[in-house]
Amino acid sequence: MTRWFVRVHKWLALIVGIQIFLWVLGGLAMSLMDLERVRAEHTIAPAPSYALPLSDVLTPERAAAVAGLARIDEAALVRWADGPVWRFQGEEGVVVVDAMSGLRLTPIDAARAAEIARAGYAGQAPVTAVEYFAEPTVEYRREGAAWRVGFDDGEGTRIYVDAASGAITARRNDLWRVFDVFWTLHIMDYGERSNINNPLLQVFAGVALITVLAGLGLLIQRMQRLVRAELAARRRRRNALARVRPQIRDR
């Protein structure tokens, strides 16, 4: 039985040992990182707080008509840096129009994306690059096209602006990339990098559990052997003393 436990523990430990090391290393590394900086929350600028000129704001029906929208399902009045806008959801998807004139502002172009990112960035660093992505990337895993606006702030800050809605949908930086590497190794999802229920993780976690249980089995068996050996040694000492005492009395 002991040999079986030893063999199981040895081979399983060899298989999952590297991954267990990565789990521990990743957990330690992520615990040492400031999540606020990982998420670039310190770069979030305060939202614009100007008073909405409601007397000049078009009704959603009027704004949709001017923008040429046949049907709208949802409408929200939103503050942008340079004025209020209507954000419509309808048969064309998300469409943003100027709430004062009804002119369409989407899809967002490069110049507008840079303006939105600059308005949402709490700092004075210059914009270094504006790039367009039609499909999700390793860094930006949301559906839909987006603009990536980079800032020269020493942290590699990158702000993503949704091309359809003009909303800032993600913030990334160099620390986030490091965190993401450890997170990926930790959850073992090398595709989407977000699924903590993936089969690979479940299999390795199960094997790691069996390894630990096999190790506990070995530990219990060894402790039992030590206890039995200690009890046997005590009996031998008592027997030896019992044989010596009559000889002492005879003298």
Side-chain angles (χ1 to χ4, degrees), residues 15-239:
I15 294 171
V16 302
I18 296 176
Q19 184 57 46
I20 291 176
F21 170 76
L22 293 175
W23 281 336
V24 175
L25 176 64
L28 175 62
M30 289 186 291
S31 70
L32 295 175
M33 296 182 192
D34 184 349
L35 280 181
E36 180 180 341
R37 303 195 75 83
V38 170
R39 297 169 180 164
E41 293 177 359
H42 61 292
T43 67
I44 299 176
S49 58
Y50 53 81
L52 288 173
L54 295 179
S55 60
D56 299 325
V57 171
L58 299 176
T59 64
E61 293 80 7
R62 177 58 181 162
V66 173
L69 299 176
R71 192 196 76 199
I72 57 173
D73 299 320
E74 297 179 13
L77 187 61
V78 181
R79 284 186 175 93
W80 271 20
D82 53 356
V85 299
W86 282 108
R87 185 175 289 162
F88 294 123
Q89 176 73 48
E91 60 184 0
E92 294 186 30
V94 178
V95 178
V96 178
V97 305
D98 189 299
M100 313 285 282
S101 65
L103 295 177
R104 290 196 184 206
L105 301 177
T106 55
I108 303 298
D109 59 16
R112 174 65 71 172
E115 291 176 8
I116 294 172
R118 163 59 65 196
Y121 176 76
Q124 301 299 321
V127 172
T128 57
V130 181
E131 301 172 86
Y132 179 80
F133 295 93
E135 301 292 337
T137 65
V138 172
E139 184 174 88
Y140 184 76
R141 298 158 195 165
R142 296 175 182 268
E143 294 296 329
W147 291 94
R148 183 175 70 185
V149 183
F151 291 85
D152 184 17
D153 58 1
E155 299 181 25
T157 299
R158 300 174 289 279
I159 293 179
Y160 283 86
V161 178
D162 187 277
S165 67
I168 293 177
T169 50
R171 294 172 186 265
R172 302 288 185 258
N173 54 33
D174 295 339
L175 186 60
W176 182 92
R177 293 300 295 269
V178 175
F179 185 93
D180 187 59
V181 169
F182 284 113
W183 171 253
T184 302
L185 294 174
H186 201 71
I187 67 171
M188 303 184 71
D189 180 13
Y190 304 107
E192 298 178 359
R193 303 191 179 195
S194 60
N195 182 15
I196 62 173
N197 303 117
N198 68 82
L200 185 61
L201 176 61
Q202 294 170 348
V203 169
F204 267 80
V207 174
L209 178 61
I210 295 173
T211 304
V212 172
L213 293 177
L216 288 175
L218 285 174
L219 178 62
I220 292 172
Q221 288 190 356
R222 288 176 181 174
M223 290 180 65
Q224 289 176 340
R225 288 201 303 269
L226 289 174
V227 170
R228 287 195 295 266
E230 180 62 24
L231 293 175
R234 290 181 180 181
R235 285 195 297 269
R236 288 194 297 270
R237 286 195 294 268
R238 284 198 300 267
N239 293 336

